[in-house]
Structures are given as C-alpha cells and as structure tokens.
Amino acid sequence: WMDRDGQILKTEEPTLGQTVTRTTKEKALAKQRAAPPDLITETVIPLKAESNALAGAHAARFRVHTAGANTKPPFPNSVCQVCTPAEAGGWNLLVSAGEDQAALAKDGQKDLPQAADRKPNRYVDQNDAAIRQLAAEVGPAATESLLAKALAEHVYLWITRKDFSTVLATATEVARTRTGDCTEHAVLLAALARARGLPARVVVGLVYVPSLGGFAYHMWNQIWCDGAWRFFDATQSDGKCGAGHIKVADAALDDQSGLTVFLPVLQVMGGTKIELKGVVADRDH
C-alpha cells in the first residue's frame, strides 16, 4: 500500500505471515507488540544421521531430497558447494569450508563485485557516522582477508544481546542497540566491510544447529577480499564458516522491501530432507 507520493504505508509477506505497517515512533512504542515469527525454531529441517562432527568438519557430503519433481538443483554451485543429481534420485551435495585459494580466485572471475555491493542502501548504510566509527575501531591488517575476519569478530563482540526480536534491522540500528540474531550480524558486517572499502553481500541459507538436530535458516556474509568472494559468519567468535553452512542465495540488500531476501530459503525448506553421508574433518585429507 502506498500514498500519493509513493511512500510505502503497509506491506504484507504471506510466506512469513507478516504485515509491516508504517507508523510513528510514538505509536509503535505505545504498547508491547508480539514477537515476529522465529525462522530458526519454526522451520528446522531434521538431519538424518546427525553428527556433531559437522561443527569442525572441513567438508561434508549430503543426500538431499526435495518435495515434488525438481529438475533444477535446490542449492547453487559455488566454490564452497557442489550440488549434482544422485543416481538413486534426489541430489548429492558436497559442502566445504571454501579454503582452496586457487578455486576461490577462479570462481571470483565469474562473479565480480557489482555497484550494489559497494553502495549504501536502506539496510547497509555504511556512510552513517556511527558505522564508520565502528569500522574504524578495527586496525589495519596484513591482507584484506584478515581485515574481513577481524571485522566479523568485531561484530560478534559488538552485538551483546543475541535474540530474535527483530526480523531485519538496518546496520545503523544494530550498531546503536547492539541487539539481534544472524540477520543483524550479517547486515552490520556488510556495512562495516563496505565502510572499509570491501564489497560485501549477505548470504541466505541453512546452517546445522546441533541443539536443534537439523538445519535452520541462517544469514551470513560473502566479502570480496584478496581477489575473491570469501565467506564469513559474524555469529561465530572466529568469524568462520564451515561444512554446516549451505548457501541458497546472496543479495546486496538493495531491494527496498528487504524482506524478499528470505524467500529463496523458505522455498527450499518445505518438504526438503537432508541426510549426512560423510564428513572430512581434516582439510589435508
């Protein structure tokens, strides 16, 4: 719904079961509102043959089955994952930590940063003074990759209240409130990276959560550094991604609604089954 000037007054996201209404700050805070839907606990895909070894695995092999006939791989191929048809039906999925430098460089030539990966927007507002100050707190690093890792670790420490009270906040709001879940960590890291001259996107997908016994919705980042897109997860103290991260899509978050970034993940969650076939714990084997 829009007014005559094109200002959005209300939007509905049927998939999320959410209605967003534009109002004043006074009206919004006048009474306590119900918490938004928790994508983590309401959309878990159980993992057959679950294993805590995924937490430290360098690579993992999965068998994936999706609802209905699907001729297109449910997960995109990239330097960190390969999804191919399985002879017995379904899909074979190989996920790695993405530390092969030659493969990263080759993959980077296929997908170079775009203008949207650098520009500020509604959510990734890196030109805000608070964002620039926060980004400047991380000192210089020997390489761009080390700088990106340091920024991810900085976001992890900066967000002191880890909860699901917000569906998708702007980076400036996260910097101020120091509150949020994976989406807020990813949005803030994207802003800090861009503030330091590193093109950045958010990644939406699935992550294995041992306490839930399966894969849940997750958001992390890919940052262009040292000539390639490298993956970082600011919800982890070391900023690393592993074999338990399955990418579905990435976005610069330049879409004004913002919430459309969730749709690719929700589309693969219904009726999807994932079975663990094996892990490689050591990158040298």
Side-chain angles (χ1 to χ4, degrees):
W1 288 261
M2 297 183 182
D3 62 16
R4 294 179 180 273
D5 298 323
Q7 295 293 322
I8 297 176
L9 302 178
K10 185 172 77 169
T11 61
E12 286 187 356
E13 296 287 350
T15 309
L16 295 175
Q18 179 181 357
T19 299
V20 178
T21 303
R22 184 177 181 180
T23 185
T24 64
K25 180 178 179 180
E26 290 73 19
K27 290 182 179 180
L29 298 177
K31 61 180 180 179
Q32 185 175 2
R33 293 170 290 169
D38 184 350
L39 294 177
I40 295 295
T41 58
E42 295 181 6
T43 53
V44 173
I45 300 175
L47 178 64
K48 292 184 178 180
E50 63 181 87
S51 171
N52 288 332
L54 265 179
H58 169 67
R61 292 181 293 109
F62 302 96
R63 179 67 54 79
V64 179
H65 292 275
T66 57
N70 191 356
T71 59
K72 182 180 179 181
F75 303 109
N77 291 319
S78 72
V79 69
C80 293
Q81 62 188 41
V82 178
C83 189
T84 57
E87 293 183 1
W91 303 88
N92 291 319
L93 178 64
L94 174 65
V95 182
S96 70
E99 297 174 351
D100 186 325
Q101 300 303 313
L104 282 167
K106 183 178 180 181
D107 189 67
Q109 297 306 309
K110 302 176 184 177
D111 183 17
L112 296 172
Q114 303 299 309
D117 302 319
R118 297 182 172 91
K119 291 181 178 180
N121 57 50
R122 175 184 174 187
Y123 291 98
V124 188
D125 42 358
Q126 71 264 27
N127 287 342
D128 182 85
I131 296 297
R132 290 196 169 278
Q133 179 179 347
L134 192 59
E137 293 179 3
V138 176
T143 66
E144 291 179 340
S145 298
L146 290 176
L147 172 59
K149 184 176 184 295
L151 290 171
E153 294 171 349
H154 193 47
V155 170
Y156 174 82
L157 295 174
W158 184 258
I159 299 180
T160 54
R161 181 181 173 186
K162 320 282 186 176
D163 65 21
F164 305 102
S165 60
T166 306
V167 175
L168 184 62
T170 66
T172 302
E173 182 180 352
V174 180
R176 177 180 58 82
T177 64
R178 306 184 70 169
T179 298
D181 57 15
C182 62
T183 59
E184 281 66 53
H185 285 73
V187 169
L188 182 57
L189 177 54
L192 296 191
R194 292 184 191 179
R196 294 295 294 268
L198 302 177
R201 299 170 180 169
V202 299
V203 177
V204 291
L206 308 173
V207 69
Y208 179 66
V209 183
S211 61
L212 298 177
F215 282 93
Y217 165 82
H218 195 48
M219 182 183 285
W220 59 100
N221 296 86
Q222 57 185 52
I223 300 175
W224 182 266
C225 42
D226 299 323
W229 287 111
R230 301 171 193 270
F231 294 85
F232 300 90
D233 187 346
T235 69
Q236 304 298 310
S237 59
D238 59 4
K240 293 183 177 180
C241 295
H245 289 70
I246 301 178
K247 176 181 176 179
V248 175
D250 59 65
L253 281 183
D254 54 341
D255 182 279
Q256 285 302 303
S257 71
L259 296 177
T260 57
V261 72
F262 299 120
L263 298 182
V265 179
L266 295 176
Q267 289 170 353
V268 304
M269 284 185 134
T272 297
K273 298 179 180 179
I274 302 178
E275 180 181 0
L276 178 65
K277 305 299 289 186
V279 300
V280 178
D282 190 333
R283 62 175 296 182
D284 296 325
H285 292 79

